[in-house]
Amino acid sequence: MNELMNVNDLLGLGEDDKSSQQRLDVNIADLQPFHNHPFKLYKGKRLEDMIESIKEHGVIIPLIVRPVENGKFEILSGHNRANAGKLAGLTKLPILVKEGLTEEEAMLIVTETNLIQRAFSELAHSEKARILSERHKAIKSQGKRTDLISEIEIITSGKNSRELTSCQFGEKIKSDKEIGSDYDLSARNVARYLRIDILIDELKEKIDSNEIPFNAGVDLSFLDEGEQIIINEILNTNKYKISLKKSNFLKKLSQNKKLNKDMVYKILSGEYFKRAESKSKVKFTNKFTNNIVNRYVTEEVDIKELEDIITSLLDDYFSK
């Protein structure tokens, strides 16, 4: 009970507010991941280090969860700790239950705790996009959700056990000031990330794996969902690459309501540009050149002089 009181004291909650959260231990089997979790779990050495830390110290900071149906809990913060704890052989984990959250508040906890536990620079493009998007929503709405950001930082920081928890997170925990600071991104880049966040998940994954250039992904975000699905299907069945030239054409045709599956295929395959290039090339026919030579080339006027005369006349004509 003292532990619960300490958490509430940290958060500045009164007696009436304590019912909104409680600290307890639950079976790992009763935990389920967030239904729309946008972040990738740790792998390799980072996961191994967390497993070893948990074997030695246990899970120091409780997972933040919310109750769902059938007596289960949905994880908002702690997906990596849950995964590493299970691999370390634990059967129970400490949790902090948050009740009465809106869907937006739940997502804000998911994104903010990931940002606290990892450096922004190490996140994948889709993860950065989700964090910036949720921050953007919170700033626009102000009030309760910006207060929630501060609350999340206090819960997650583990100020009384910083050295142990930083080992488990695999990254130095950011201070409140750093969390609220700028991400070293220009307003234009923030806007680009907000565009990336509205792409379908399959295209986000292709951006994260560098199959699609980041700025090409920004162009594709202006296409509707159906058009994005078509692009993903064609990319999955062919080895086409998306360049900025291709993405820009896709964007323009979509905005002009002229984009369909056949056109998408022609653009992604490059066929569209080959046709355009062939149409733009001007070729002189044999008849034209032979007629000019036979008519005007004489002993007094050779081909070089004739070319100079034609060029001069054309320059004079088009200058008018």
Side-chain angles (χ1 to χ4, degrees):
M1 179 61 69
N2 287 336
E3 203 163 15
L4 176 61
M5 290 294 292
N6 289 337
V7 172
N8 282 308
D9 289 342
L10 276 173
L11 299 179
L13 299 176
E15 292 294 330
D16 294 337
D17 297 317
K18 292 177 186 178
S19 61
S20 67
Q21 59 183 25
Q22 50 182 311
R23 166 77 182 264
L24 50 99
D25 291 335
V26 298
N27 293 322
I28 291 181
D30 291 330
L31 296 172
Q32 62 187 49
F34 188 64
H35 65 282
N36 190 24
H37 191 242
F39 300 101
K40 297 171 175 61
L41 292 177
Y42 294 162
K43 294 180 181 179
K45 189 176 186 306
R46 189 165 203 174
L47 174 59
E48 293 170 5
D49 289 346
M50 180 174 275
I51 292 171
E52 290 304 311
S53 173
I54 288 176
K55 284 181 178 179
E56 183 177 356
H57 305 293
V59 175
I60 307 300
I61 295 181
L63 283 68
I64 302 177
V65 303
R66 66 174 176 177
V68 290
E69 296 178 351
N70 303 320
K72 304 286 186 179
F73 297 94
E74 185 177 43
I75 302 172
L76 303 180
S77 170
H79 291 82
N80 284 298
R81 277 167 281 161
N83 183 45
K86 184 176 181 179
L87 294 173
L90 301 184
T91 57
K92 290 192 172 186
L93 292 174
I95 62 170
L96 184 64
V97 182
K98 297 285 292 180
E99 298 186 27
L101 295 173
T102 65
E103 190 65 21
E104 289 179 332
E105 289 168 343
M107 178 55 82
L108 192 58
I109 290 177
V110 173
T111 55
E112 286 300 313
T113 52
N114 267 277
L115 181 56
I116 289 171
Q117 295 161 18
R118 292 192 274 177
F120 185 76
S121 60
E122 76 181 50
L123 298 174
H125 285 310
S126 63
E127 294 173 326
K128 292 178 181 178
R130 179 53 59 91
I131 282 177
L132 289 170
S133 177
E134 293 304 317
R135 273 277 177 157
H136 181 67
K137 291 176 186 175
I139 291 171
K140 284 176 67 176
S141 64
Q142 295 298 322
K144 184 176 181 180
R145 276 185 283 171
T146 50
D147 292 342
L148 185 62
I149 291 175
S150 298
E151 180 181 331
I152 293 162
E153 291 165 1
I154 294 172
I155 293 174
T156 314
S157 65
K159 297 185 190 305
N160 295 329
S161 51
R162 178 175 294 273
E163 291 183 3
L164 295 180
T165 56
S166 64
C167 177
Q168 287 186 20
F169 289 151
E171 190 73 41
K172 186 183 77 170
I173 294 178
K174 295 173 177 290
S175 69
D176 293 354
K177 183 177 180 181
E178 287 172 317
I179 290 296
S181 68
D182 186 33
Y183 300 104
D184 275 340
L185 294 172
S186 66
R188 178 170 293 185
N189 276 335
V190 171
R192 289 186 180 123
Y193 274 111
L194 295 179
R195 295 297 317 179
I196 291 295
D197 191 55
I198 63 178
L199 283 168
I200 61 173
D201 291 341
E202 292 81 0
L203 293 184
K204 288 179 186 176
E205 290 174 7
K206 286 179 169 57
I207 292 173
D208 288 343
S209 61
N210 296 318
E211 294 176 61
I212 297 177
F214 180 83
N215 285 331
V218 174
D219 282 340
L220 298 181
S221 73
F222 288 91
L223 279 59
D224 65 39
E225 184 176 340
E227 293 167 338
Q228 292 182 35
I229 290 173
I230 290 172
I231 288 173
N232 183 62
E233 290 174 349
I234 293 176
L235 291 177
N236 286 342
T237 54
N238 299 276
K239 294 183 179 180
Y240 301 141
K241 299 292 184 182
I242 293 188
S243 63
L244 286 174
K245 181 179 180 180
K246 291 179 180 179
S247 66
N248 190 255
F249 267 86
L250 289 166
K251 174 184 173 182
K252 288 180 179 178
L253 289 173
S254 176
Q255 291 176 328
N256 292 327
K257 308 298 181 184
K258 294 181 179 179
L259 192 61
N260 53 45
K261 188 170 185 178
D262 183 56
M263 187 60 72
V264 171
Y265 181 86
K266 289 177 180 177
I267 290 174
L268 293 181
S269 68
E271 181 184 346
Y272 178 89
F273 304 104
K274 290 178 182 177
R275 290 184 176 184
E277 287 172 4
S278 64
K279 289 180 180 179
S280 64
K281 290 180 179 178
V282 178
K283 295 181 179 180
F284 289 102
T285 65
N286 288 334
K287 182 179 179 181
F288 176 82
T289 53
N290 286 335
N291 285 345
I292 292 294
V293 170
N294 292 333
R295 185 172 181 179
Y296 295 107
V297 173
T298 65
E299 292 181 0
E300 292 80 18
V301 180
D302 60 19
I303 290 181
K304 179 64 174 67
E305 288 180 277
L306 181 61
E307 289 175 347
D308 291 340
I309 293 170
I310 292 173
T311 300
S312 176
L313 289 172
L314 289 174
D315 287 341
D316 182 62
Y317 177 82
F318 284 108
S319 68
K320 298 176 180 179

